[in-house]
Amino acid sequence: MGVIKLHNIKTFSFHGCMHEEAKIGSDYRVDITAHGDFRDAASSDNLVHAIDYVHLNRIVKEEMDKRANLLENVAQRIIDRVLLEIEMVEKIIVAVSKINPPIGGDVEYVTVEIQGVR
């Protein structure tokens, strides 16, 4: 079993329950940890046997572009697409963070983390 991680994928998106969040948007970061069998990729040195991090990044960007009220919804959509589109992924952990959330306090970011398993 191997692990591939994408750290700090940055997006500007329009998620949140407040009307203002849908209008002005906010900075987000997404972290992904994907587990799979890397033996064929290691021996063949061929991308077709690997978990393609370009594909992972594209899924994140596309799902972050679709507005949602809750970060849980966005994280689950990312998981669902990865498990549907990238057969090699056996387990995935997705963390979606809202930078400077409007919660009336000095909070750097808030994160929702969800795990999916094939």
Side-chain angles (χ1 to χ4, degrees), residues 5 15 22 30 42 60 62 75-76 83 86-87 92 98 104 109 113:
K5 298 179 181 183
H15 308 303
V30 179
V60 168
E62 289 172 358
Q76 189 62 56
L83 292 177
I86 306 176
E87 187 175 312
I92 183 164
K98 181 182 284 192
Y109 57 89
E113 184 175 288

Side-chain angles (χ1 to χ4, degrees), residues 11-13 15 60-67 77:
T11 71
F12 188 85
S13 303
H15 308 303
V60 168
K61 298 282 190 176
E62 289 172 358
E63 292 305 322
M64 289 299 289
D65 281 346
K66 299 175 188 172
R67 181 170 151 50
R77 288 194 329 246

Side-chain angles (χ1 to χ4, degrees), residues 53-71:
Y53 53 79
V54 172
H55 192 168
L56 288 171
N57 187 64
R58 182 173 55 250
I59 290 170
V60 168
K61 298 282 190 176
E62 289 172 358
E63 292 305 322
M64 289 299 289
D65 281 346
K66 299 175 188 172
R67 181 170 151 50
N69 288 328
L70 301 177
L71 300 181

Side-chain angles (χ1 to χ4, degrees), residues 99-109:
I99 311 300
N100 297 316
I103 61 175
D106 187 11
V107 176
E108 185 176 354
Y109 57 89

Side-chain angles (χ1 to χ4, degrees), residues 24-103:
I24 64 172
S26 186
D27 290 314
Y28 292 82
R29 68 174 269 185
V30 179
D31 299 292
I32 290 183
T33 302
H35 299 254
D37 185 346
F38 288 10
R39 289 177 290 188
D40 287 345
S43 63
S44 73
D45 195 28
N46 191 320
L47 181 59
V48 299
H49 297 126
I51 295 174
D52 184 354
Y53 53 79
V54 172
H55 192 168
L56 288 171
N57 187 64
R58 182 173 55 250
I59 290 170
V60 168
K61 298 282 190 176
E62 289 172 358
E63 292 305 322
M64 289 299 289
D65 281 346
K66 299 175 188 172
R67 181 170 151 50
N69 288 328
L70 301 177
L71 300 181
E72 291 88 342
N73 179 268
V74 180
Q76 189 62 56
R77 288 194 329 246
I78 293 167
I79 289 169
D80 292 345
R81 277 202 52 201
V82 168
L83 292 177
L84 178 69
E85 295 178 22
I86 306 176
E87 187 175 312
M88 239 190 100
V89 174
E90 298 172 10
K91 175 181 168 185
I92 183 164
I93 301 166
V94 174
V96 180
S97 302
K98 181 182 284 192
I99 311 300
N100 297 316
I103 61 175

